[in-house]
């Protein structure tokens, strides 16, 4: 069946660059004579038929905006048969031939299940600050989130150095330590705590005390949210070292803001690749960037746990401290 009318949605946590991606899908899709329907609030909008025809002008002036003009949501209802059935009715009623799903692993899982049950062609475009999609180098938004967190760390360093304090900074990433590792290395942080590697707080404290004896007074330890709570770690450090320690949770700040050039160009090139995949009759796959090339992979593969190679990073962080 020739694809004429496509639906595009953003689902799960928003990521900077989603808007650039929507723009890419709409403008490239129109160029290929497709009609593009924006589905509002992710899967929720598909269930509740919240749709909007997107023309050229609808995506003007959004390339530089964080968030998503289509809105996004977590949608437990889509995990139910009833929810998916209602979503399918929306697809049928509105003659939507295929879906482009911009989101992370949860959104891809949902797209895969939807395709399996209703045979609606679905292509995933990876966008999440967590960078936890298997088989690719980086998701749309991760680079921006890392730079946002890095800016905060640079600011924290100013006060950490001036007041000779220890800081534990908690960053997002769900079960992945990717953001934490990048930020810790680029921010010249003294240690990093990530879910992929066991940590020993006694060793960290031992390092702090030893450093302290040498005259090194300020430390920044980055903690991935999936590994530890900054508040707990800070309290324990104070308990073990008697040194003043502050905890900071960067939280949702990392999800917002102007997408970096990399997040935008990645979004635009993946949007084009995804539309081409649909036009070529492909389905149940995700597009992504791997070793500087655009690749396609089964959604089932994309949602498998991504293995992070962490040792090289962790060792470098240690060596450079
Ligand atoms: O998946 C993106 C993400 O920002 C994770 O890093 C974080 O754990 C989660 O979403 C937070 O979700 P919510 O905004 O629903 O609290």
């Amino acid at each position: 069946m020739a694809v004429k009318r496509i639906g595009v949605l953003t689902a799960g946590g928003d990521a900077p660059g989603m808007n650039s991606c929507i723009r890419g899908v709409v403008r490239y899709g129109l160029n290929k004579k497709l009609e593009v329907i924006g589905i509002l609030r992710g899967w929720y909008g598909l269930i509740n038929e919240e749709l909007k025809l997107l023309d050229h002008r609808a995506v003007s002036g959004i390339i530089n905006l964080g968030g998503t003009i289509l809105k996004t949501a977590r949608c437990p209802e889509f995990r139910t048969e009833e929810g998916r059935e209602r979503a399918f009715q929306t697809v049928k009623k509105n003659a939507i031939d295929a879906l482009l799903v911009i989101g992370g692993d949860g959104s891809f899982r949902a797209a895969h299940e939807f395709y399996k049950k209703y045979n609606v062609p679905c292509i995933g475009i990876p966008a999440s600050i967590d960078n936890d999609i298997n088989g690719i180098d980086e998701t749309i938004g991760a680079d921006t989130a890392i730079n946002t967190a890095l800016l905060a760390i640079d600011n924290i360093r100013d006060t950490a150095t001036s007041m000779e304090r220890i800081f534990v900074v908690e960053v997002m990433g769900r079960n992945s330590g990717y953001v934490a590792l990048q930020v810790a290395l680029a921010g010249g942080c003294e240690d990093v705590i990530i879910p992929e590697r066991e940590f020993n707080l006694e060793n960290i404290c031992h390092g702090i005390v030893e450093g302290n004896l040498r005259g090194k007074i300020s430390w920044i330890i980055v903690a991935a949210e999936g590994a530890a709570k900054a508040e707990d770690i800070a309290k324990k450090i104070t308990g073990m070292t008697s040194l003043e320690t502050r905890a900071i949770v960067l939280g949702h700040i990392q999800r917002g803001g102007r997408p970096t050039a990399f997040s935008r160009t990645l979004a635009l090139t993946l949007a084009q690749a995804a539309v081409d995949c649909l036009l070529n009759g492909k389905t149940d796959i995700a597009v992504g960037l791997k070793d500087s090339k655009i690749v396609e992979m089964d959604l089932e593969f994309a949602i498998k746990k991504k293995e992070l190679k962490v040792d090289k990073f962790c060792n470098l962080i240690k060596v450079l401290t």
Side-chain angles (χ1 to χ4, degrees), residues 74 128-130 172-174 225 252 255:
R74 308 237 180 249
S128 162
I129 65 160
D130 301 337
M172 273 189 170
R174 206 181 285 277
E225 64 170 347
H252 290 79
R255 280 230 304 251

Side-chain angles (χ1 to χ4, degrees), residues 61-206:
I62 66 165
I63 198 167
N64 55 332
L65 302 180
T68 157
I69 57 157
L70 292 178
K71 317 268 187 216
T72 183
R74 308 237 180 249
C75 183
E77 211 185 333
F78 198 73
R79 289 196 206 114
T80 66
E81 275 199 22
E82 200 203 326
R84 285 189 195 140
E85 178 58 40
R86 284 181 56 196
F88 180 57
Q89 292 313 321
T90 303
V91 168
K92 266 206 319 195
K93 188 173 157 198
N94 293 278
I96 295 173
D97 299 320
L99 292 176
L100 287 180
V101 177
I102 306 171
D105 61 341
S107 318
F108 282 12
R109 202 162 284 122
H112 177 57
E113 292 304 322
F114 195 57
Y115 168 71
K116 271 203 305 188
K117 172 92 198 213
Y118 296 105
N119 212 23
V120 175
C122 289
I123 305 279
I125 307 181
S128 162
I129 65 160
D130 301 337
N131 195 27
D132 54 0
I133 295 294
N134 190 33
I136 56 164
D137 295 337
E138 209 164 291
T139 47
I140 297 164
D143 182 63
T144 309
I146 288 161
N147 278 295
T148 303
L150 189 58
L151 190 62
I153 301 252
D154 289 347
N155 289 354
I156 291 165
R157 184 166 297 288
D158 290 344
T159 176
T161 319
S162 305
M163 296 200 69
E164 304 186 313
R165 277 176 175 162
I166 302 163
F167 277 83
V168 183
V169 185
E170 186 180 316
V171 299
M172 273 189 170
R174 206 181 285 277
N175 301 314
S176 167
Y178 185 79
V179 172
L181 273 180
Q182 297 285 325
V183 163
L185 181 60
C189 300
E190 281 73 13
D191 229 314
V192 62
I193 298 173
I194 49 170
E196 291 83 355
R197 201 168 132 125
E198 290 229 345
F199 71 96
N200 181 326
L201 201 54
E202 273 181 25
N203 279 353
I204 294 177
C205 289
H206 185 71

Side-chain angles (χ1 to χ4, degrees), residues 227-243:
K229 296 248 153 299
E231 196 67 52
D232 296 346
I233 300 288
K235 271 198 193 118
K236 286 184 185 152
I237 292 177
T238 304
M240 289 184 195
T241 64
S242 305
L243 294 169

Side-chain angles (χ1 to χ4, degrees), residues 38-60:
I39 299 157
L40 304 181
R41 302 184 175 81
W43 300 110
Y44 178 90
L46 200 60
I47 293 173
N48 296 292
E49 209 182 345
E50 294 186 17
L51 312 176
K52 182 175 158 187
L53 187 68
L54 298 174
D55 61 12
H56 202 271
R57 291 280 299 279
V59 292
S60 292

